[in-house]
Amino acid sequence: MSAETAPIYLDYAATTPLAPEVLEAMLPWMRHQVGFGNPSSSGHAYGREAAAAVEHARRQVAALIAADADGVVFTSGATEADNLAILGAVRFAMARGRGRHVVSSRTEHSAVLGACERLRREGAEITLLQPDRSGRIHVEQVGEALRDDTVLVSIMHANNETGVLQDVAALARLLRPHPAVLHVDAAQSAGRCPIRVRDWGIDLLSISAHKLYGPKGIGALWVRPRPRLRLEPLQYGGGQERGYRPGTLPVHQIVGLGEACRLALQDLTRESARLHTLRARLRGGLEALGSVRIHGDGDMAPHIVSASFPCVHGEALSLELGGLALSAGSACSSARPGPSHVLRAMGLPDSLASSTFRFSIGRWTSAEQVDEAVAAVANALERLQPLSPLAARWRDGEPLDALHEY
Ligand SMILES: Cc1ncc(COP(=O)(O)O)c(C=O)c1O
């Protein structure tokens, strides 16, 4: 793929390119002469230098989410962080007879839903809340679902398919008098939306480097250090990362995550405002095409627009949009084909879910690219809609909602 023929990248929610500054920060820690020491080798300078770099990165991660640095546990990404948080917290509580009930939602990432499903097979009871039509879970719903034996509530911050933001600060306030701990999957929001772990009172929070211009294969789980929150580890070994995640630390990856967090924090206000403006341009452009349904409203992450195109075949539209690198539904679950569980939970019929695309923008997206993308969609719809019997009925005055039984 050459730069001239490369499709316009509109899949930043799936992954982001590595920021050049991050690559530069990582390189010394991969070179032969310096930086290769094992951070656990405290007996010599090689190890001590590596350990200092890890601790520096730990502080950079903590700064992005306004949390204490000693709560940061490095993992391989948000999937592992979600699993460690959910399996770790619930197994720890169940083993001590403190309860076995978990509250989460139908629109969570499959890393959260998969961990909940695993716990169900281990004897936990899982309540998965139903979102409203815009994809939002209301704090009152969580309040009603809470029981005396609830040990964990896991609700994501920004949804990876729609960009809908949940009020996790309000959730934390709700849970303050309750012994259940709050886990938040912030893989999509970290670096794009302000997060204040300490002020809000979040107990566990997952992030991933490759969603914020860092390298793939590294992320973090923040685990409340005071009062100390205990988790059952997923693996056993040399006791690194307070025993929660043993194994020799990948220093270059950790340095990359730290630098990505530093950059994200430095640019947070400006970049988030720029993305909100671009997102409004994209949303407005698509809406102006008429036959489109945009998902999610109210408080939204700045980088995602999820749009359904009624009266066209999803696969045909996907072929027509070959010049755009987009996701049909969510790339994060593309290993499991079929209609998206998020859109289904929001009440979308499968026929409409299958012609839904996620446009996600980021650091290198320009206004011109957004306009080009809208024009490409307009052209594709112009070609495809005349072929659809539904479109004919729609032109004859039948409302879209009736056509798709929405
Ligand atoms: C909300 C959310 N959680 C978790 C993940 C998994 O992250 P990772 O790829 O770092 O395992 C993703 C993306 O794939 C995501 O969007």
Side-chain angles (χ1 to χ4, degrees):
M1 183 172 65
S2 73
E4 294 80 52
T5 60
I8 297 176
Y9 191 73
L10 292 170
D11 209 9
Y12 282 82
T15 196
T16 57
L18 198 68
E21 300 92 327
V22 172
L23 178 61
E24 285 305 315
M26 291 173 70
L27 283 173
W29 303 96
M30 287 187 274
R31 294 205 201 281
H32 173 73
Q33 297 90 337
V34 289
F36 66 88
N38 187 328
S40 299
S41 304
S42 54
H44 52 69
Y46 297 93
R48 284 195 296 270
E49 259 192 44
V54 166
E55 293 319 307
H56 182 64
R58 205 184 294 285
R59 288 192 293 277
Q60 291 173 313
V61 172
L64 179 65
I65 56 174
D68 309 279
D70 56 352
V72 174
V73 174
F74 293 111
T75 64
S76 61
T79 299
E80 187 189 333
D82 288 346
N83 275 271
L84 177 57
I86 295 168
L87 299 175
V90 179
R91 284 178 181 159
F92 188 90
M94 281 172 69
R96 285 154 188 80
R98 292 184 189 161
R100 59 193 187 98
H101 180 234
V102 176
V103 178
S104 189
S105 90
R106 292 192 187 283
T107 54
E108 294 300 309
H109 189 269
S110 46
V112 168
L113 293 174
C116 287
E117 191 44 47
R118 171 70 223 176
L119 285 171
R120 196 194 298 279
R121 280 185 271 132
E122 293 176 19
E125 282 182 47
I126 316 289
T127 301
L128 292 181
L129 299 173
Q130 178 72 35
D132 66 16
R133 284 221 157 171
S134 75
R136 194 160 274 110
I137 301 293
H138 297 270
V139 177
E140 304 76 54
Q141 285 175 274
V142 177
E144 281 160 22
L146 280 180
R147 310 189 322 206
D148 289 345
D149 65 341
T150 307
V151 289
L152 177 83
V153 174
S154 179
I155 298 286
M156 71 202 314
H157 193 198
N159 184 273
N160 51 296
E161 293 194 33
T162 59
V164 167
L165 277 176
Q166 306 289 352
D167 189 351
V168 291
L171 273 179
R173 277 197 300 279
L174 171 85
L175 289 176
R176 218 165 272 163
H178 195 283
V181 295
L182 175 62
H183 167 244
V184 173
D185 178 341
Q188 291 293 338
S189 59
R192 298 183 170 107
C193 309
I195 297 177
R196 306 207 57 82
V197 163
R198 206 186 303 113
D199 295 348
W200 293 350
I202 290 169
D203 302 301
L204 294 156
L205 184 120
S206 307
I207 68 165
S208 176
H210 75 97
K211 308 284 187 188
L212 49 111
Y213 312 100
K216 293 170 180 62
I218 187 79
L221 176 66
W222 187 83
V223 183
R224 191 192 68 211
R226 279 170 297 279
R228 186 175 173 209
L229 174 56
R230 307 267 306 273
L231 303 175
E232 193 61 43
L234 299 180
Q235 56 201 40
Y236 298 87
Q240 290 92 338
E241 298 300 273
R242 294 188 279 151
Y244 290 142
R245 215 288 189 153
T248 301
L249 292 169
V251 179
H252 60 296
Q253 302 278 83
I254 290 171
V255 166
L257 170 60
E259 176 67 3
C261 288
R262 185 192 69 78
L263 284 172
L265 181 61
Q266 175 186 286
D267 293 340
L268 188 62
T269 312
R270 193 162 35 97
E271 181 62 0
S272 158
R274 192 186 74 88
L275 288 181
H276 270 297
T277 307
L278 269 189
R279 181 182 181 278
R281 187 181 186 109
L282 176 57
R283 184 186 170 127
L286 292 174
E287 272 171 342
L289 303 178
S291 58
V292 61
R293 189 180 293 281
I294 309 282
H295 305 295
D297 53 29
D299 219 4
M300 303 289 291
H303 66 304
I304 298 179
V305 174
S306 168
S308 294
F309 301 97
C311 305
V312 291
H313 198 276
E315 271 172 44
L317 184 54
S318 184
L319 288 175
E320 289 282 337
L321 295 179
L324 308 180
L326 308 163
S327 280
S330 145
C332 312
S333 56
S334 60
R336 219 178 297 146
S340 132
H341 69 274
V342 174
L343 299 174
R344 265 194 171 166
M346 289 164 65
L348 230 71
D350 287 354
S351 63
L352 204 49
S354 67
S355 60
T356 301
F357 293 81
R358 178 185 69 184
F359 300 74
S360 53
I361 55 178
R363 185 166 163 183
W364 287 280
T365 311
S366 63
E368 291 71 36
Q369 287 184 328
V370 163
D371 295 346
E372 261 183 67
V374 172
V377 174
N379 282 336
L381 293 181
E382 222 166 86
R383 267 198 296 277
L384 293 176
Q385 279 178 342
L387 309 176
S388 154
L390 286 184
R393 281 166 57 194
W394 171 56
R395 271 194 308 276
D396 287 343
E398 222 172 302
L400 283 176
D401 285 4
L403 291 172
H404 279 284
E405 293 158 352
Y406 184 60

